Amino acid sequence: MRLSQFHLATVKEIPADAEIASHRLMLRAGMIRKLASGLYTWSPLGLRVLRKVERIVREEMDRAGAIEMLMPSVQPKELWEESGRWEKFGDQLLKIRDRKEQEFCYGPTHEEVITDFARNELKSYKQLPVNFYQIQTKFRDEIRPRFGVMRAREFLMKDAYSFHLTQESLAETYAAMYQAYTRIFTRLGLQFRAVQADTGAIGGNASHEFQVLADAGEDAIAFSDGSDYAANVEKATSLPPVTTRPAAAADLQRVDTPRVRTVEDVCRHFGTSPDRVLKTLLVRGRDGLVALCLRGDHELNEVKAGKLVELPDEAVLAPEAEILAAVGAHPGFVGPVGLPDAIPVIVDRDAAVLADFICGGNADDTHYAGANWERDARITRVEDLRQVVEGDASPDGKGSLHLARGIEVGHVFQLGQKYAQALGATVVDDQGKNQVMTMGCYGIGVSRIVAAAIEQRHDEAGIVWPEAMAPWQVAVCVINPKNVPAVNEAAEALYRKLGAQGAETLLDDRGLRPGAMFADIELIGIPHRVVVSERGLAAGTLEYRKRDEAEARAITEEELFALLG
RNA sequence: CGGGGUAUAGCUCAGUCUGGUAGAGCGUUGCGUUUGGGACGCAAAAGUCGGGGGUUCGAAUCCCUCUGCCCCGACCA
């Protein structure tokens, strides 16, 4: 491509509110332009990168035996009512009406459509297993779109759905998809981790997220330094404490603690540390309030709490008025000692081995010191309730856990029969009986990958593309072509040769001053840069610089071809 | 949905408090000089000051209202 014939649209100034590197650089490089909140136009440059990602995803999906198709982005309300998600999906679902006042939504995902397709197309177990995929635009009306295409409302996604007669068959395809995803992200040149993920209300235990490691990531993940254990912090567990509860040494003592509400306050007042303090949270249960007790230095994991039988699907902190009515104290002064019998006391494993601890007094401005389980406070049950912290023992007993930030770019999920059941998607098995199909679903955020890659690979000058994602592999920069015909001719010749070698080449024939030209080429992250100049022509060499190397060096044309492989 | 901010030239922003001829930088156009790290000079084009209403002799500026966008929170691939 001759740059003079392309629409390169780099800019010097971008809005002050572009916060993260990928958003800033995509705007500066002119890869995207915002149309409205959460909606972006992909410029020719941006699209080249997006297509690179798409191609690799497509190749690996095909290799893994998936079959490409394309479903409508607009979907009828009826289908979503069948699955029960017209209401359940909430305001994230963009609902629209046609001229006949028929209701539709712009698809945020395609389980309903594919399951409808499957129930019409798949009749026999002999057609299974089968794995359909598409690469398509989705829309989710995010509460707060931000970070450019990282969390846009409209985005490009690869979604695949597999259909099976048995769980074993599903497990096989799931494993194949897991492998395919690993290949995709490896080929893209990204640092990533496959982490165990929470499966939410749907159940089942097979779900992995593929997380690109980056500080700007919106997800927190935990991984072991002694094994391949890795999990989203929502799901991450650790070994239970090795210590058993020490015997009570102190007497229970009621202490006046005016305005001492937070764990921090308590520590200051008693001159102790948070790991000696018991934190009691009251949440709404299925049947009245439930007390959740944690060590003061630990945080509640709401996903784990939501799975307790005492709770509805989610853990919701009780409002102040309810707490006051049930306990007679404001939040901050609640504790397990003397709590009404109707309130179950679920204690985190680490909190359960505390002895002589401090906890709320169930009356405003009082705490107990020297409190002990069993003697002073009952335990309904001990559970794993907390968020893992740096240094926790890995649950497989190998190594300890570390925390990192990640950007979720892929998700594989054993769906089970939820949608097939709801929509009545069945096939006849070898006994002639109707069987509800078992499904898996597998998503990749194609547009998000572009942002994630930049997040991971950039420097002061701009983007540093992995080879596989770069819009062009090599840029030929020409110094002063208009006044020095020999330089111009040499550059043209090199450009043709590179093209003949199969290298994707960008010829910067704009005739800009060198500084402006180099700045652009670095900003848009071309992996290899070659400069053709009068100086180099005289020496019979080319000046070569790799994007991620600090210095340029003189090389011959043969060396250049060898470098580009 | 709650709290806060913001809307002025193609872009990034001053000007609003204290009402009185619409500003800068970048970009764009023309001419000339320049050509190894975002060049320089001269000239030029470019704005219903987000929309509507009000106060006033006079509103970008004050008041009311609507809308968009951004930030924080709840939520989330």
Side-chain angles (χ1 to χ4, degrees):
Chain A
M1 174 67 68
R2 290 167 197 278
L3 197 40
S4 63
Q5 304 301 307
F6 191 73
H7 179 75
L8 187 70
T10 57
V11 289
K12 288 185 186 156
E13 287 174 296
I14 50 162
D17 52 38
E19 291 177 288
I20 63 171
S22 60
H23 188 194
R24 280 199 301 269
L25 289 172
M26 287 181 82
L27 289 171
R28 270 186 57 202
M31 293 177 64
I32 54 169
R33 294 280 189 244
K34 186 167 80 169
L35 178 65
S37 179
L39 302 178
Y40 291 87
T41 296
W42 288 78
S43 72
L45 177 68
L47 185 63
R48 281 187 75 94
V49 177
L50 195 64
R51 291 283 188 246
K52 290 282 173 80
V53 177
E54 220 178 283
R55 205 183 97 206
I56 288 175
V57 169
R58 188 172 275 123
E59 282 175 9
E60 293 300 332
M61 289 302 290
D62 290 344
R63 182 207 295 266
I67 311 168
E68 186 167 8
M69 62 183 292
L70 186 61
M71 292 176 258
S73 57
V74 174
Q75 309 177 15
K77 176 188 185 183
E78 288 69 29
L79 220 40
W80 283 73
E81 285 181 325
E82 270 193 83
S83 70
R85 289 208 293 183
W86 185 258
E87 293 303 328
K88 202 179 172 212
F89 215 91
D91 292 334
Q92 260 201 60
L93 194 62
L94 178 66
K95 297 171 179 172
I96 47 188
R97 281 172 203 273
D98 70 4
R99 65 173 75 206
K100 292 183 292 189
E101 296 291 305
Q102 295 272 17
E103 290 190 273
F104 296 85
C105 64
Y106 196 104
T109 178
H110 281 71
E111 279 84 6
E112 281 80 2
V113 178
I114 194 70
T115 308
D116 176 66
F117 179 79
R119 72 180 163 187
N120 293 324
E121 301 289 324
L122 303 176
K123 300 296 180 192
S124 160
Y125 75 97
K126 292 180 184 170
Q127 293 171 288
L128 304 185
V130 65
N131 188 3
F132 298 112
Y133 81 97
Q134 65 173 348
I135 296 176
Q136 201 227 27
T137 298
K138 305 269 194 273
F139 189 98
R140 295 184 192 173
D141 199 356
E142 290 288 344
I143 292 167
R144 234 184 89 194
R146 59 183 133 177
F147 304 148
V149 298
M150 186 81 83
R151 178 169 297 280
R153 293 194 293 178
E154 186 177 293
F155 56 100
L156 190 65
M157 183 171 179
K158 185 283 302 175
D159 48 328
Y161 307 89
S162 65
F163 294 86
H164 312 268
L165 191 64
T166 64
Q167 173 63 34
E168 293 67 41
S169 169
L170 169 59
E172 276 174 31
T173 298
Y174 184 86
M177 283 294 101
Y178 187 101
Q179 288 309 316
Y181 277 34
T182 301
R183 291 186 60 96
I184 288 168
F185 298 118
T186 302
R187 277 185 67 185
L188 287 170
L190 299 172
Q191 280 184 273
F192 69 97
R193 289 235 175 207
V195 308
Q196 294 178 21
D198 180 58
T199 49
I202 299 166
N205 57 2
S207 176
H208 287 85
E209 291 167 354
F210 285 77
Q211 298 271 358
V212 165
L213 303 177
D215 290 339
E218 295 183 272
D219 290 346
I221 62 177
F223 60 94
S224 171
D225 56 15
S227 71
D228 59 3
Y229 176 80
N232 191 304
V233 288
E234 288 180 349
K235 163 100 179 174
T237 59
S238 54
L239 289 182
V242 287
T243 54
T244 51
R245 183 162 65 226
D251 293 329
L252 184 67
Q253 198 188 347
R254 201 179 173 96
V255 183
D256 283 337
T257 52
R259 291 183 304 281
V260 177
R261 287 194 184 83
T262 64
V263 170
E264 202 184 332
D265 295 340
V266 169
C267 291
R268 203 178 306 118
H269 189 270
F270 286 89
T272 188
S273 56
D275 58 353
R276 309 281 311 146
V277 174
L278 188 81
K279 177 161 71 176
T280 304
L281 305 172
L282 289 179
V283 296
R284 281 179 158 163
R286 291 181 189 278
D287 191 22
L289 296 183
V290 175
L292 305 177
C293 295
L294 295 152
R295 226 167 66 181
D297 57 332
H298 289 153
E299 293 295 321
L300 178 70
N301 181 318
E302 293 185 21
V303 171
K304 291 176 185 175
K307 289 182 177 159
L308 296 171
V309 293
E310 288 85 355
L311 299 198
D313 287 338
E314 50 180 359
V316 180
L317 286 174
E320 194 167 298
E322 272 178 46
I323 294 173
L324 200 56
V327 181
H330 283 89
F333 298 102
V334 177
V337 178
L339 206 60
D341 290 341
I343 301 180
V345 180
I346 317 285
V347 184
D348 180 67
R349 298 175 308 184
D350 288 273
V353 296
L354 287 178
D356 303 331
F357 56 81
I358 297 163
C359 64
N362 292 326
D364 283 352
D365 299 335
T366 62
H367 277 78
Y368 285 109
N372 281 276
W373 294 115
E374 315 291 356
R375 188 190 74 181
D376 309 316
R378 71 199 152 75
I379 295 183
T380 306
R381 211 165 62 253
V382 176
E383 291 278 3
D384 176 12
L385 292 180
R386 70 172 174 89
Q387 210 89 265
V388 296
V389 295
E390 185 83 22
D392 275 345
S394 178
D396 55 14
K398 296 178 217 156
S400 51
L401 296 181
H402 300 280
L403 299 180
R405 308 290 303 175
I407 300 165
E408 186 184 347
V409 290
H411 199 157
V412 292
F413 203 136
Q414 294 192 17
L415 265 185
Q417 298 185 320
K418 180 186 163 89
Y419 296 96
Q421 185 86 59
L423 302 208
T426 61
V427 289
V428 174
D429 68 11
D430 60 358
Q431 309 293 308
K433 291 219 166 64
N434 278 319
Q435 299 281 359
V436 174
M437 287 184 281
T438 294
M439 295 171 60
C441 71
Y442 320 92
I444 286 183
V446 177
S447 47
R448 179 180 278 184
I449 284 174
V450 176
I454 296 173
E455 217 44 67
Q456 206 169 62
R457 300 177 49 115
H458 65 272
D459 62 16
E460 281 303 303
I463 300 166
V464 184
W465 289 119
E467 199 95 12
M469 289 175 67
W472 292 276
Q473 200 183 359
V474 53
V476 176
C477 294
V478 200
I479 310 264
N480 203 6
K482 285 169 188 160
N483 297 330
V484 189
V487 167
N488 191 35
E489 284 157 24
E492 288 284 340
L494 180 61
Y495 173 59
R496 279 195 301 274
K497 274 191 212 167
L498 284 165
Q501 297 270 328
E504 284 188 293
T505 308
L506 183 67
L507 176 66
D508 193 342
D509 56 349
R510 296 176 296 175
L512 294 187
R513 299 170 69 86
M517 180 164 52
F518 296 158
D520 271 349
I521 297 301
E522 281 158 20
L523 175 59
I524 66 174
I526 309 301
H528 308 276
R529 186 189 77 192
V530 187
V531 179
V532 179
S533 66
E534 222 173 343
R535 192 199 285 171
L537 223 51
T541 57
L542 298 165
E543 177 187 303
Y544 168 81
R545 182 172 163 195
K546 201 158 183 285
R547 180 62 181 84
D548 56 6
E549 284 172 4
E551 297 294 326
R553 55 195 159 107
I555 62 172
T556 64
E557 215 172 81
E558 290 67 37
E559 287 171 320
L560 175 64
F561 293 148
L563 269 169
L564 297 173

